[in-house]
Amino acid sequence: MVYLGIDVGGTGIKIGVVDAEGAILAQGETPTLVGRPFEDIIHDMGVCALGILERGGYSVEDVASVGIGIPGIADQNTGVVIFCTNLGWRDVPLRAELQRYIDKPVYIDNDATVAGYAESICGVSVGCHSSVFLTLGTGVGGGIVIAGRPWSGAHGVGSEIGHIPMDIDGEPCTCGNFGCLERYCSATAVIRMGREAMLQHPDSDLYAACGGDANKVTAKIVFDCAREGDDVSVKVFRRYVHYMCLALDTVVAFLDPEMIILGGGVSKAGNFLLDAIREQLPRYVLFKTRPFARIEIARLGADAGMIGAAMLGKQPVKEG
Amino acid sequence: MVYLGIDVGGTGIKIGVVDAEGAILAQGETPTLVGRPFEDIIHDMGVCALGILERGGYSVEDVASVGIGIPGIADQNTGVVIFCTNLGWRDVPLRAELQRYIDKPVYIDNDATVAGYAESICGVSVGCHSSVFLTLGTGVGGGIVIAGRPWSGAHGVGSEIGHIPMDIDGEPCTCGNFGCLERYCSATAVIRMGREAMLQHPDSDLYAACGGDANKVTAKIVFDCAREGDDVSVKVFRRYVHYMCLALDTVVAFLDPEMIILGGGVSKAGNFLLDAIREQLPRYVLFKTRPFARIEIARLGADAGMIGAAMLGKQPVKEG
């Protein structure tokens, strides 16, 4: 048997045929073309999946289950997508609609949740009983794995770590609250801080690297300038590391997982970011002499969503 | 078989003989007398437990296991108490020492963790697959239950919800960090806010209720004055509810448990506090139209620690 994994993004829908160990056997992609009726998007999703199966030499009968990762939340009982901001979806019967094309069990979960799950199946957190995955992108997504299985909470509204309040009366967030964690730990936060710093310091390397255009600031440019020793960028980088340590301390103090995995655009800074966090974090955690979560960079990159989604249908091996 | 439950506090050590359903069959208490060598404290603990067993008509052979709740953290593999601030304990071999008196399996966990576990065995959260317990006292303790079992994390340093950073550069905390959740949500926080408010408003009912003495401010007095309509106290109460909603939103956004249970001194405000929180909280959570955790007041009171500790040794019923 094989597992179909579908990673729904605002631009493209990635689909993979995955084996029980998380290895990709065949894959493809179809554009999302946001704005169309959901029926059309799900039609393309189904047709594309059937084509990938066929080209890979598989039939629908070979498929154990279909898993879908969405940038939003779903009701796991009904298979209805509750919210999916990027796609403008609200109460979309994704499971029922997709089963018109592929009549197999369909599991739906949050994209960060399935990406974290994938890392625990065949990525950096293989063998970890518990882990927390953080995607550091436009926002901050969270994925929790407990006892080797994804945890989205009792009502499917958990692991929204980006929206934990981290600063009372802090920066306004897109969600309507103030001071949410993602206002400080996302790529968007690095860009905001980088812009402020650049405009205040026209003599900085950061200013030069962006040609003096605040709209050209990216997290990569800020971190690259910091790596090169530009004082202004180093200051932004250090502030970002401070915020990340507060976020990681939150995860340690709350759930104390075996591992915390950093994914998403910002994590591409790799060891430059990881080394700084690993050096600073022990000063933040409550029990400074006790072991706590290993911090690692995600390994599966853009395939994580597809693999983790596919694995949603994989039943846990019974213990004992 | 029966289970021995021991609740170690800074003042007294409560010991109970508990059945598999969490019912107390016999109980007693011995003073902690902090400052003595740990061997003496554990000697009294062992002797007192043996006496309670005997008076209840039980022998050591009837005891399946011993569970101990401590206001600190322990290494669950070695049975060594790592930290226990109230008792001044550091690296105390509690399990080995107690087994000199009662040679049975000994389990040790945090007091808030075992109190939360007790509520899920025979208190307000019976039947909940997941719950989070918050003790609102001098500090804020946390207890997590997942899949019906206590969760203290992969390294035993989790569920320290009182030390989640809630305000960047906020109030200094006893732990050395700034802006920890317990600086805003503990009884200590109510007292701090009450004192400030009272001193600024000598014409307030709160000032009168304390006889103008800031040292006489308690959380109960502040809440009682708020209930009676004293403007100054109402303002403190509302601020406290705001902070509690941020804390509860943190729990919902992170773990999304089935239930969140409020225990400890502040929770004695009962429905006055609960109603205010239940009214305000929906404005804080991310997905405002989705169900989220029921908020309840703890039911087991001072017995929770003893019962939950006893139940640590109870093996989970295998599913399926």
Side-chain angles (χ1 to χ4, degrees), chain B residues 147-199:
Chain B
R149 295 289 299 170
W151 173 269
S152 298
H155 315 82
V157 299
S159 86
E160 288 289 353
I161 295 171
H163 292 283
I164 285 179
M166 196 161 97
D167 197 22
I168 296 170
D169 306 321
E171 298 275 338
C173 185
T174 50
C175 74
N177 281 348
F178 291 83
C180 290
L181 187 148
E182 72 173 34
R183 289 303 99 203
Y184 306 92
C185 299
S186 58
T188 311
V190 179
I191 294 167
R192 185 187 70 235
M193 294 188 286
R195 280 182 182 157
E196 285 168 13
M198 184 203 95
L199 293 173

Coordinates of all heavy atoms in Angstrom, one line a residue, chain B residues 147-199:
Chain B
A147 N -3.8 12.2 27.0 CA -4.1 10.8 26.9 C -4.4 10.2 28.3 O -4.0 9.0 28.5 CB -3.1 10.0 26.1
G148 N -4.9 11.0 29.2 CA -5.3 10.5 30.5 C -4.1 10.3 31.5 O -4.3 9.8 32.6
R149 N -2.9 10.6 31.0 CA -1.7 10.4 31.9 C -1.0 11.8 32.1 O -1.0 12.7 31.3 CB -0.7 9.5 31.2 CG -1.2 8.1 31.1 CD -1.3 7.3 32.4 NE 0.0 7.2 33.1 CZ 0.1 6.7 34.3 NH1 -1.0 6.4 35.0 NH2 1.3 6.6 34.9
P150 N -0.4 12.0 33.3 CA 0.3 13.2 33.5 C 1.5 13.4 32.5 O 2.2 12.4 32.2 CB 0.9 13.1 35.0 CG 0.7 11.7 35.4 CD -0.3 11.0 34.4
W151 N 1.7 14.6 32.1 CA 2.8 14.9 31.2 C 3.7 15.9 31.8 O 3.3 17.1 32.0 CB 2.3 15.4 29.9 CG 3.4 15.9 28.9 CD1 3.9 17.1 28.8 CD2 4.1 15.1 28.0 NE1 4.9 17.2 27.9 CE2 5.0 15.9 27.4 CE3 4.1 13.7 27.6 CZ2 5.9 15.5 26.4 CZ3 4.9 13.3 26.6 CH2 5.8 14.2 26.0
S152 N 4.9 15.5 32.2 CA 5.9 16.5 32.7 C 7.0 16.8 31.8 O 8.0 17.5 32.1 CB 6.5 15.9 34.0 OG 5.6 15.7 35.0
G153 N 6.9 16.3 30.5 CA 7.8 16.6 29.5 C 8.9 15.5 29.3 O 8.9 14.6 30.1
A154 N 9.7 15.7 28.3 CA 10.7 14.7 27.9 C 11.8 14.7 28.9 O 12.5 13.7 29.1 CB 11.2 14.9 26.5
H155 N 12.1 15.8 29.6 CA 13.2 15.9 30.6 C 12.7 16.3 32.0 O 13.4 16.7 32.8 CB 14.2 17.0 30.1 CG 14.5 16.9 28.6 ND1 13.7 17.5 27.7 CD2 15.6 16.3 28.0 CE1 14.3 17.2 26.5 NE2 15.4 16.5 26.7
G156 N 11.3 16.2 32.1 CA 10.8 16.5 33.5 C 10.8 18.0 33.8 O 10.6 18.4 35.0
V157 N 11.0 18.9 32.8 CA 11.0 20.3 33.1 C 9.9 21.1 32.5 O 9.9 22.3 32.4 CB 12.4 21.0 32.7 CG1 13.5 20.3 33.4 CG2 12.6 20.9 31.2
G158 N 8.8 20.3 32.0 CA 7.7 20.9 31.4 C 6.6 21.3 32.4 O 6.7 21.1 33.6
S159 N 5.5 21.8 31.8 CA 4.3 22.2 32.5 C 4.6 23.3 33.6 O 3.8 23.5 34.5 CB 3.6 21.0 33.2 OG 4.1 20.7 34.4
E160 N 5.7 24.0 33.4 CA 6.1 25.1 34.2 C 5.4 26.4 33.6 O 6.1 27.4 33.2 CB 7.6 25.3 34.3 CG 8.2 24.2 35.2 CD 7.9 24.3 36.7 OE1 7.3 25.4 37.1 OE2 8.3 23.4 37.4
I161 N 4.1 26.3 33.6 CA 3.4 27.4 32.9 C 3.5 28.7 33.5 O 3.5 29.8 32.9 CB 1.9 26.9 32.7 CG1 1.9 25.7 31.8 CG2 1.0 28.0 32.1 CD1 0.6 24.9 31.7
G162 N 3.7 28.7 34.8 CA 4.0 30.0 35.5 C 5.2 30.8 35.1 O 5.3 32.0 35.3
H163 N 6.1 30.1 34.4 CA 7.3 30.7 34.0 C 7.4 30.9 32.5 O 8.5 31.1 31.9 CB 8.5 30.0 34.6 CG 8.6 30.2 36.0 ND1 9.0 31.3 36.6 CD2 8.2 29.3 37.0 CE1 8.9 31.2 38.0 NE2 8.4 30.0 38.2
I164 N 6.3 30.8 31.8 CA 6.3 31.2 30.4 C 6.4 32.7 30.3 O 5.7 33.4 31.0 CB 4.9 30.7 29.8 CG1 4.9 29.2 29.5 CG2 4.6 31.5 28.5 CD1 3.7 28.7 28.9
P165 N 7.3 33.2 29.4 CA 7.4 34.6 29.3 C 6.2 35.2 28.7 O 5.8 34.8 27.6 CB 8.7 34.8 28.4 CG 8.9 33.5 27.7 CD 8.2 32.5 28.6
M166 N 5.5 36.1 29.4 CA 4.2 36.7 28.9 C 4.4 38.2 28.6 O 3.5 38.8 27.9 CB 3.2 36.5 29.9 CG 1.8 36.7 29.4 SD 0.5 35.9 30.5 CE 0.0 37.3 31.5
D167 N 5.5 38.8 29.0 CA 5.6 40.2 28.8 C 7.1 40.5 28.6 O 7.9 40.5 29.6 CB 5.0 41.0 29.9 CG 4.8 42.5 29.5 OD1 4.7 42.8 28.3 OD2 4.7 43.3 30.5
I168 N 7.5 40.8 27.4 CA 9.0 41.1 27.1 C 9.4 42.2 28.0 O 8.7 43.3 28.0 CB 9.2 41.4 25.6 CG1 8.8 40.2 24.7 CG2 10.6 41.9 25.3 CD1 8.7 40.5 23.3
D169 N 10.5 42.1 28.7 CA 11.0 43.1 29.6 C 9.9 43.5 30.7 O 9.9 44.7 31.1 CB 11.4 44.4 28.8 CG 12.4 44.1 27.8 OD1 13.3 43.2 28.0 OD2 12.3 44.6 26.6
G170 N 9.1 42.6 31.1 CA 8.1 42.9 32.1 C 8.6 42.8 33.5 O 9.8 43.0 33.8
E171 N 7.6 42.5 34.4 CA 7.9 42.5 35.9 C 9.0 41.4 36.1 O 9.0 40.3 35.6 CB 6.7 42.0 36.6 CG 5.5 42.9 36.5 CD 5.6 44.0 37.6 OE1 6.3 43.9 38.6 OE2 4.9 45.1 37.3
P172 N 10.0 41.8 37.0 CA 11.0 40.8 37.4 C 10.4 39.6 38.1 O 9.5 39.8 38.9 CB 12.0 41.6 38.2 CG 11.3 42.8 38.7 CD 10.2 43.1 37.7
C173 N 10.9 38.4 37.8 CA 10.4 37.2 38.5 C 11.4 36.6 39.4 O 12.6 36.9 39.3 CB 10.0 36.2 37.4 SG 9.2 34.7 38.0
T174 N 10.9 35.9 40.4 CA 11.8 35.2 41.3 C 12.8 34.3 40.6 O 13.8 33.9 41.2 CB 11.0 34.4 42.4 OG1 10.1 33.5 41.6 CG2 10.2 35.3 43.3
C175 N 12.5 33.8 39.4 CA 13.3 32.9 38.7 C 14.5 33.6 38.0 O 15.4 32.9 37.5 CB 12.5 32.1 37.7 SG 12.1 33.1 36.2
G176 N 14.5 34.9 38.0 CA 15.6 35.6 37.4 C 15.3 36.2 36.0 O 15.9 37.0 35.5
N177 N 14.2 35.7 35.4 CA 13.7 36.2 34.2 C 12.8 37.4 34.4 O 12.5 37.8 35.5 CB 13.0 35.1 33.3 CG 14.1 34.2 32.6 OD1 15.3 34.5 32.6 ND2 13.6 33.1 32.1
F178 N 12.3 37.9 33.3 CA 11.3 39.1 33.4 C 10.0 38.7 32.7 O 10.0 38.0 31.7 CB 11.9 40.3 32.7 CG 13.1 40.8 33.4 CD1 14.4 40.3 33.3 CD2 12.9 41.9 34.3 CE1 15.5 40.8 34.0 CE2 14.0 42.4 35.0 CZ 15.3 41.9 34.9
G179 N 8.9 39.2 33.3 CA 7.6 39.1 32.6 C 7.0 37.7 32.6 O 6.2 37.4 31.8
C180 N 7.5 36.8 33.5 CA 6.9 35.5 33.6 C 5.4 35.6 33.9 O 4.9 36.4 34.6 CB 7.5 34.6 34.7 SG 9.2 34.2 34.3
L181 N 4.6 34.6 33.4 CA 3.2 34.5 33.5 C 2.8 34.7 35.0 O 1.8 35.3 35.3 CB 2.7 33.2 32.9 CG 1.2 33.0 32.8 CD1 1.0 32.1 31.5 CD2 0.6 32.3 34.0
E182 N 3.5 34.0 35.9 CA 3.0 34.1 37.3 C 3.1 35.5 37.9 O 2.5 35.7 38.9 CB 3.7 33.0 38.2 CG 5.1 33.2 38.5 CD 5.6 32.1 39.5 OE1 5.2 31.0 39.5 OE2 6.5 32.5 40.3
R183 N 3.9 36.4 37.3 CA 4.0 37.7 37.8 C 2.6 38.4 37.6 O 2.4 39.5 38.2 CB 5.1 38.6 37.1 CG 6.5 38.2 37.4 CD 6.8 38.3 38.9 NE 6.7 37.0 39.5 CZ 6.5 36.8 40.8 NH1 6.3 37.8 41.6 NH2 6.4 35.6 41.3
Y184 N 1.7 37.9 36.8 CA 0.5 38.6 36.4 C -0.7 37.8 36.9 O -1.8 38.3 37.0 CB 0.4 38.8 34.9 CG 1.6 39.6 34.4 CD1 2.8 38.9 34.0 CD2 1.7 41.0 34.5 CE1 3.9 39.6 33.6 CE2 2.8 41.7 34.1 CZ 3.9 41.0 33.7 OH 5.0 41.7 33.3
C185 N -0.5 36.4 37.1 CA -1.7 35.6 37.3 C -1.7 34.9 38.7 O -2.7 34.2 39.0 CB -1.8 34.5 36.2 SG -1.9 35.2 34.6
S186 N -0.8 35.2 39.5 CA -0.7 34.6 40.9 C -1.5 35.4 41.9 O -1.9 36.5 41.6 CB 0.7 34.4 41.3 OG 1.3 35.7 41.3
A187 N -1.7 34.8 43.1 CA -2.3 35.6 44.2 C -1.3 36.8 44.5 O -1.8 37.9 44.8 CB -2.5 34.8 45.4
T188 N -0.1 36.5 44.4 CA 1.0 37.6 44.6 C 0.7 38.8 43.7 O 0.9 39.9 44.1 CB 2.4 37.0 44.3 OG1 2.5 35.7 45.1 CG2 3.5 37.9 44.8
A189 N 0.3 38.5 42.4 CA 0.1 39.6 41.5 C -1.1 40.4 41.9 O -1.1 41.6 41.8 CB -0.1 39.0 40.1
V190 N -2.2 39.7 42.4 CA -3.4 40.4 42.8 C -3.0 41.3 44.0 O -3.4 42.5 44.0 CB -4.5 39.4 43.2 CG1 -5.7 40.2 43.7 CG2 -4.9 38.5 42.1
I191 N -2.2 40.8 44.9 CA -1.8 41.6 46.1 C -1.0 42.8 45.6 O -1.2 43.9 46.1 CB -1.0 40.7 47.0 CG1 -1.9 39.6 47.6 CG2 -0.4 41.5 48.1 CD1 -1.2 38.5 48.4
R192 N 0.0 42.6 44.7 CA 0.8 43.7 44.2 C -0.1 44.8 43.6 O 0.1 45.9 43.9 CB 1.8 43.2 43.2 CG 2.8 44.2 42.7 CD 3.7 43.7 41.5 NE 2.9 43.6 40.3 CZ 2.8 42.4 39.6 NH1 3.4 41.3 40.0 NH2 2.1 42.4 38.5
M193 N -1.0 44.3 42.7 CA -1.9 45.3 42.1 C -2.8 46.0 43.1 O -3.1 47.2 43.0 CB -2.7 44.7 41.0 CG -1.8 44.2 39.8 SD -2.8 43.6 38.4 CE -3.4 42.0 39.0
G194 N -3.3 45.2 44.1 CA -4.2 45.7 45.1 C -3.5 46.8 46.0 O -4.1 47.8 46.3
R195 N -2.2 46.5 46.3 CA -1.5 47.4 47.1 C -1.3 48.7 46.4 O -1.5 49.8 47.0 CB -0.1 46.8 47.5 CG -0.1 45.9 48.6 CD 1.3 45.3 48.9 NE 1.2 44.4 50.0 CZ 2.1 43.4 50.2 NH1 3.2 43.3 49.4 NH2 2.0 42.6 51.2
E196 N -0.9 48.7 45.2 CA -0.7 49.9 44.4 C -2.0 50.7 44.3 O -2.0 51.9 44.6 CB -0.2 49.5 43.0 CG 1.2 49.1 42.9 CD 1.5 48.5 41.5 OE1 0.7 48.7 40.6 OE2 2.6 47.9 41.4
A197 N -3.0 50.0 44.0 CA -4.3 50.7 43.9 C -4.8 51.3 45.2 O -5.3 52.5 45.2 CB -5.4 49.7 43.4
M198 N -4.6 50.6 46.3 CA -5.0 51.0 47.6 C -4.3 52.3 48.0 O -4.9 53.3 48.4 CB -4.8 49.9 48.6 CG -5.2 50.2 50.0 SD -4.3 49.1 51.1 CE -3.0 50.2 51.6
L199 N -3.0 52.3 47.8 CA -2.1 53.4 48.2 C -2.4 54.6 47.4 O -2.3 55.8 47.9 CB -0.7 53.0 48.2 CG -0.2 51.9 49.2 CD1 1.2 51.5 48.9 CD2 -0.4 52.4 50.6

